[in-house]
Amino acid sequence: MSFFSLIQKKGSKPIPPAPNSIRRETVHSSSSAKKNSFLNIARPNSLNSASRRTGRKGTTDRSRPTIQEHVRKRKQSQHTRLVSDSDSGESDTTPQTPRKRPRMVTGAPKSIKRQLRSVTAFSDDDHGIFPMVHASDIAALDRPIKYRVAFPEQGEHEAIQLQYPSASQQERFDLVEPLQKDDFKPIEDITETLEVVMDYYLPPEDAALFKNDSHGLIRRLKRAIDKRYGQAFMSLIQEWNNAITEARIDGRIARVLDESSELDLRLIERILTQTYARIVSPRVSTLRQYENGTDNVYGELLPKFVSDIFRVTGLGSDHVFVDLGSGVGNVTLQAALEVGCESWGCEIMENACVLAELQEQEFKARCRLWGLAVGRVNLERGDFLENQKIIKVLPKADVILVNNQAFTPELNDRLTSHFLDLKEGCQVVSLKSFVPAGHRITSRNLNSAYNVLEVEEKHYYSACVSWTDAPGSYYVSRKDSSRLRAFSTHVGAG
């Protein structure tokens, strides 16, 4: 379950803050299985790295080939045969048909200018070492949130390192599970990450091997989890690390990324969820400290809704996006990731600003792990009506988001006056309309900002915002001075 789906309404129990100390642990790795023939596949009911022949210790079955070896065998053939549904008479050991790759598409419009792959992330020049929050920093036996050993037969708690698609460092995971079901789940984070990498970073034929229903790595990994075979789980992670490294070195991952110019929402949510889980969730209680009846009320728009906003407004990679009242920076980061545009945010609440800046740092590290180039992120503190950088960037903005659901009428009126300086065609997205219903241009209100805004009401579905599950409305106001000019011309002619 995504951490964004766990964002609670006011009054719900927060996750207690985590201490700043970083724990040291020993990371164990195991060697990959011996090479073998692609067709030498054990019976479907056996577990590759912990078969029925193994005991509770989960000793690796050395007779089964690894996914890495499967891929190597396929590369040796001059032609790859794609098996159709109509084919018959094939042996059960024939590789399954490669599944169609999920389209790397979101609500954001296609941008032919964008390059998804980060050259830095795929370079070995600096050995890929950089600051980041590892999963083991937030989920371990000595964390404030209670965890227990995930594989009890090991006798003591173990840790693994997980390789991402880029050349960057691996991430540390303690093999533990939470006592409370809504807390961060390291094992689930690992499996979901692997599945996303398979779908969006590997050629379809390689992904099909990993996801084969009888002998694929995902099937064997989940079987090891269900049977609590810790040694088998660690061996399979090492097999994955070897295979994904080989796919990067021989250029398969780079080719997949270079053929795409869009990101699927599932991949976007995975990166944002990892960032949020490691930074905001352990400190979410600090966001409950606001004053009702003021403009400083915290609420979040969830990724699917935000993606729809990008699509409706036609936000592109060469545009400028501004989020006024950006909270912990979720939307600002999503714009930079999903669209690749220059993305700005401004927040006045101190606790939210602290988390936003921490999220920005972790977001950059996460994008590097995933090997993605993103737009420039700019997070500002203070009142967006007085922050000079924000005042300077607003006339350049193409899309402005204002979550004014809880803004006082006075703040809405003050903000509207700034819209006179926006460029023609700029779109302002808000949860409440800035233009009163039934407004008309008259000779008495010629200087009102309402006269240059064309407003369209739109609707979002349930589970789109953090403060309610109910559907609702939002508004897109486009800067268009043509009506005001026409009225002025008509009045002057009269």
Side-chain angles (χ1 to χ4, degrees):
M1 179 179 293
S2 166
F3 265 84
F4 287 102
S5 65
L6 295 177
I7 296 172
Q8 302 295 318
K9 303 174 187 177
K10 293 185 295 183
S12 64
K13 183 178 179 180
I15 301 174
N20 295 326
S21 60
I22 302 298
R23 197 177 45 77
R24 298 178 180 272
E25 73 286 298
T26 302
V27 178
H28 300 271
S29 63
S30 55
S31 60
S32 57
K34 292 182 179 180
K35 295 183 179 180
N36 209 327
S37 168
F38 177 80
L39 297 181
N40 185 18
I41 298 173
R43 293 185 298 273
N45 290 332
S46 65
L47 181 63
N48 184 11
S49 295
S51 69
R52 294 179 183 274
R53 295 191 298 273
T54 64
R56 290 296 296 169
K57 294 297 182 182
T59 305
T60 303
D61 179 0
R62 308 289 288 186
S63 66
R64 186 192 298 274
T66 67
I67 289 293
Q68 189 178 10
E69 293 155 9
H70 289 178
V71 173
R72 191 177 295 115
K73 286 287 186 180
R74 294 183 69 91
K75 290 172 61 179
Q76 292 174 357
S77 176
Q78 293 182 349
H79 303 284
T80 300
R81 180 171 180 267
L82 302 182
V83 184
S84 68
D85 293 338
S86 61
D87 289 337
S88 59
E90 296 292 337
S91 168
D92 291 339
T93 58
T94 301
Q96 73 174 32
T97 305
R99 300 174 182 175
K100 185 177 181 181
R101 177 179 302 282
R103 293 181 61 207
M104 297 188 73
V105 61
T106 63
K110 184 175 181 180
S111 174
I112 61 175
K113 299 179 181 179
R114 186 179 182 191
Q115 175 65 38
L116 289 180
R117 183 167 61 92
S118 167
V119 176
T120 300
F122 280 82
S123 170
D124 294 320
D125 292 345
D126 63 353
H127 307 291
I129 304 299
F130 47 85
M132 60 175 282
V133 179
H134 292 262
S136 60
D137 295 330
I138 62 170
L141 294 180
D142 59 355
R143 297 293 94 183
I145 300 175
K146 300 300 182 183
Y147 283 85
R148 62 191 173 199
V149 174
F151 300 104
E153 101 281 358
Q154 295 295 113
E156 59 182 15
H157 113 266
E158 302 281 355
I160 59 98
Q161 295 200 51
L162 183 68
Q163 182 63 52
Y164 283 75
S166 70
S168 301
Q169 64 193 356
Q170 298 177 341
E171 180 171 14
R172 299 190 307 270
F173 285 82
D174 275 21
L175 300 184
V176 295
E177 59 186 11
L179 300 182
Q180 301 296 323
K181 65 178 182 178
D182 288 341
D183 291 336
F184 176 69
K185 304 176 180 64
I187 305 298
E188 183 178 288
D189 193 73
I190 292 171
T191 57
E192 290 182 358
T193 295
L194 265 57
E195 289 177 342
V196 169
V197 173
M198 293 172 191
D199 282 340
Y200 302 114
Y201 284 81
L202 296 176
E205 60 271 19
D206 292 354
L209 289 174
F210 278 112
K211 302 176 77 171
N212 185 283
D213 290 337
S214 62
H215 57 261
L217 186 141
I218 287 294
R219 174 61 182 265
R220 290 181 282 136
L221 200 64
K222 291 182 177 180
R223 194 177 299 164
I225 295 171
D226 291 342
K227 295 181 178 296
R228 294 186 176 272
Y229 289 158
Q231 189 61 45
F233 183 88
M234 291 188 291
S235 296
L236 289 167
I237 294 300
Q238 186 59 47
E239 180 181 331
W240 162 265
N241 290 345
N242 294 338
I244 201 67
T245 299
E246 181 178 299
R248 173 183 59 80
I249 292 174
D250 67 20
R252 277 174 283 155
I253 293 176
R255 286 192 292 273
V256 170
L257 286 180
D258 291 345
E259 291 172 359
S260 305
S261 60
E262 301 170 283
L263 298 178
D264 189 84
L265 183 60
R266 180 167 165 238
L267 172 56
I268 293 166
E269 286 188 313
R270 179 97 292 266
I271 296 172
L272 296 177
T273 295
Q274 285 189 329
T275 304
Y276 192 96
R278 287 154 178 76
I279 299 298
V280 180
S281 291
R283 307 169 178 88
V284 72
S285 61
T286 63
L287 299 177
R288 310 299 179 190
Q289 302 168 11
Y290 58 78
E291 183 179 352
N292 288 324
T294 71
D295 300 312
N296 300 332
V297 177
Y298 184 76
E300 295 176 355
L301 309 186
L302 302 185
K304 177 60 172 69
F305 181 25
V306 173
S307 187
D308 288 341
I309 290 173
F310 296 161
R311 174 184 55 81
V312 167
T313 58
L315 185 66
S317 61
D318 56 346
H319 289 167
V320 176
F321 173 79
V322 181
D323 184 4
L324 300 179
S326 52
V328 297
N330 291 337
V331 178
T332 306
L333 300 180
Q334 184 171 342
L337 173 61
E338 180 172 340
V339 183
C341 63
E342 179 181 343
S343 188
W344 290 75
C346 188
E347 175 58 46
I348 195 172
M349 294 173 60
E350 177 65 20
N351 292 336
C353 287
V354 171
L355 294 182
E357 291 164 0
L358 291 174
Q359 273 219 115
E360 180 186 4
Q361 297 173 18
E362 184 64 19
F363 170 76
K364 291 178 178 178
R366 290 283 141 191
C367 290
R368 189 164 173 184
L369 284 177
W370 288 88
L372 298 175
V374 299
R376 184 160 59 93
V377 175
N378 307 270
L379 294 176
E380 292 292 319
R381 292 186 177 217
D383 188 337
F384 51 67
L385 295 177
E386 298 178 0
N387 184 289
Q388 291 304 306
K389 290 185 179 179
I390 295 298
I391 292 175
K392 186 176 180 179
V393 78
L394 283 179
K396 304 176 184 178
D398 296 281
V399 177
I400 299 172
L401 175 64
V402 187
N403 181 1
N404 62 341
Q405 179 71 30
F407 282 6
T408 60
E410 292 75 18
L411 180 57
N412 275 327
D413 289 341
R414 291 177 59 204
L415 180 56
T416 304
S417 64
H418 285 257
F419 295 162
L420 289 169
D421 298 325
L422 301 181
K423 67 181 182 182
E424 290 294 305
C426 177
Q427 298 174 83
V428 180
V429 180
S430 59
L431 296 189
K432 287 184 178 179
S433 177
F434 285 101
V435 180
H439 174 77
R440 296 177 57 188
I441 301 177
T442 68
S443 57
R444 295 182 178 180
N445 64 12
L446 289 179
N447 295 325
S448 173
Y450 301 152
N451 297 331
V452 298
L453 296 177
E454 284 286 349
V455 183
E456 183 178 0
E457 181 179 7
K458 296 185 176 295
H459 303 279
Y460 60 82
Y461 298 103
S462 59
C464 281
V465 297
S466 66
W467 56 90
T468 179
D469 289 332
S473 298
Y474 70 101
Y475 302 84
V476 179
S477 305
R478 182 185 296 273
K479 172 74 178 294
D480 183 357
S481 303
S482 61
R483 288 191 309 130
L484 179 60
R485 288 195 299 268
F487 182 85
S488 301
T489 300
H490 177 73
V491 171

